Amino acid sequence: MTDTDSPVSSVADYPLPDSGWAVLDDRVVVRISGPGTDKFLQGQFSQNLDEVIPGRSPRAAAATPKGRAYCLTRMVRDGNDILMDFPSELADDIISHLRKYLMLFRGTTMEVVQEVSIIGILGNQLAESLAGDALESLKEPGDSIALRNGVLVKTQPTAEGTARFEFWQTEDSEVALPASDQIPTTDWQASEIAAGVASLTAATQESFVPQMLNWQHVDGVHFKKGCYTGQEVIARMHFLGQLKKSLFRFRIEQAEDLPAPGSALLAGERSVGEVVNVVKYRDGSIELLAVVRHDAAEKALHPDGLPEVVLMPMPLPYPVPEREKSAQSDT
């Protein structure tokens, strides 16, 4: 199986299939190797490297000194190395930035690995075809198991209940998934929105503190680890209850124009949010993730320049208790 085998589509199927798999060719995988691997990553990412183990492959964020996320990723332990994935459009920028810190760790390297690919899987049945009975050991999102030719990671289900997995294929061998079940990468991207999992683009990089993207609710922020770049801002926002905006999911029944990542959401004429990710479905509907002020979340919202478009709130598969705390503090 190669990237060219992946079906191409600019729109997602509606409704999303309950079962299927996609080659995630919109991501670049890097390998960090050498004696300073854990110490280097511990100082730059929001995850505790002591908890990145063969059975646990959590998400993480890297931020600027002001706490603004420029990288959202997953960490997968592969022997003594760590594998991480970056969006293709941001990979060069992220790698260049991280190498400024990597220079302090002699003998430690970070390289793009072409031989590692990621397959997104919808449905328990397809995941079981890879893992067999071992699938039962994956209880929570982020749990992982090493298989013969890679690592299978349980990830957040969609709010509608579809199970989802990532298979990090580390060996160049055929994966036992039926070709008839292959779906476009766009379907997987739509499932990410339905699961409340944000991704950054050039328009939104360094725009949000990780908690604004609900990253703590997808196991991407460890609040009890030591210092790392941006940690002071991130920790203060968490422990002092200062989060005033977070990630919401919305649906648009019909619209000709697609709201762009980075564009504003308005309540009347007031900007109260920003689009993060968006997908269009074959039936003409649109779903999006957006960071919105808690005090405006109940108002009638529309994308900037599209006053006739109505945003309908949609559920997320996890609770966001900070919204209630924020509402109470404003009363």
Side-chain angles (χ1 to χ4, degrees):
M1 180 181 59
T2 66
D3 289 352
T4 56
D5 296 325
S6 177
V8 176
S9 177
S10 60
V11 295
D13 293 304
Y14 187 83
L16 284 175
D18 295 327
S19 181
W21 60 273
V23 179
L24 306 187
D25 47 15
D26 57 342
R27 304 188 192 183
V28 169
V29 178
V30 299
R31 180 184 296 276
I32 297 88
S33 305
T37 293
D38 282 26
K39 190 173 182 180
F40 160 59
L41 295 175
Q42 187 81 350
Q44 296 306 317
F45 284 85
S46 60
Q47 195 52 253
N48 185 354
L49 270 293
D50 290 342
E51 298 184 13
V52 183
I53 57 178
R56 190 73 186 158
S57 302
R59 300 185 189 274
T64 67
K66 293 184 178 180
R68 300 285 166 156
Y70 67 85
C71 174
L72 302 176
T73 187
R74 185 183 297 283
M75 293 181 166
V76 175
R77 182 75 66 176
D78 186 32
N80 293 322
D81 302 345
I82 294 289
L83 300 173
M84 297 193 299
D85 62 319
F86 303 152
S88 298
E89 69 167 315
L90 302 180
D92 289 346
D93 178 74
I94 294 170
I95 292 170
S96 177
H97 186 88
L98 287 173
R99 278 184 173 153
K100 297 175 184 178
Y101 300 94
L102 186 63
M103 292 172 59
L104 302 174
F105 298 87
R106 179 174 295 182
T108 302
T109 62
M110 177 172 55
E111 302 294 341
V112 174
V113 284
Q114 303 291 346
E115 65 272 17
V116 178
S117 60
I118 306 176
I119 298 171
I121 299 174
L122 301 180
N124 283 307
Q125 184 175 355
L126 288 177
E128 188 175 354
S129 70
L130 287 177
D133 293 341
L135 187 67
E136 296 179 1
S137 67
L138 302 183
K139 304 297 186 183
E140 302 292 334
D143 287 351
S144 59
I145 48 174
L147 303 178
R148 179 179 60 83
N149 51 357
V151 178
L152 184 67
V153 186
K154 184 180 180 69
T155 184
Q156 280 69 26
T158 67
E160 290 69 37
T162 299
R164 303 190 320 130
F165 303 84
E166 292 177 0
F167 182 65
W168 291 54
Q169 185 180 0
T170 56
E171 300 291 336
D172 187 15
S173 58
E174 198 70 24
V175 177
L177 291 172
S180 59
D181 287 331
Q182 189 170 8
I183 59 176
T185 305
T186 318
D187 279 10
W188 178 262
Q189 294 166 344
S191 80
E192 291 275 83
I193 289 177
V197 179
S199 59
L200 295 174
T201 63
T204 57
Q205 197 178 26
E206 298 187 22
S207 295
F208 309 109
V209 175
Q211 294 101 299
M212 296 178 185
L213 299 167
N214 296 357
W215 211 239
Q216 74 279 29
H217 299 306
V218 295
D219 195 32
V221 183
H222 194 294
F223 291 111
K224 295 182 179 180
K225 65 167 284 184
C227 294
Y228 58 95
T229 303
Q231 181 261 351
E232 183 177 353
V233 174
I234 294 169
R236 185 169 63 243
M237 179 170 286
H238 172 70
F239 290 111
L240 298 183
Q242 296 178 338
L243 187 65
K244 301 298 182 183
K245 58 178 73 172
S246 62
L247 195 72
F248 289 76
R249 176 187 173 203
F250 297 99
R251 178 175 172 82
I252 300 170
E253 284 297 343
Q254 290 289 328
E256 291 296 326
D257 298 316
L258 206 63
S263 62
L265 295 185
L266 306 182
E269 297 183 356
R270 178 190 176 208
S271 177
V272 296
E274 188 172 340
V275 176
V276 179
N277 301 117
V278 61
V279 66
K280 189 163 189 173
Y281 286 101
R282 292 189 187 280
D283 69 345
S285 63
I286 293 168
E287 281 199 17
L288 58 91
L289 295 175
V291 171
V292 176
R293 291 182 57 90
H294 295 159
D295 60 8
E298 300 299 322
K299 299 180 183 296
L301 306 180
H302 64 269
D304 188 18
L306 300 170
E308 75 288 352
V309 171
V310 177
L311 292 176
M312 297 183 299
M314 294 287 287
L316 295 172
Y318 50 78
V320 186
E322 294 92 340
R323 294 176 186 171
E324 295 180 7
K325 294 178 182 178
S326 179
Q328 292 170 359
S329 67
D330 291 337
T331 58

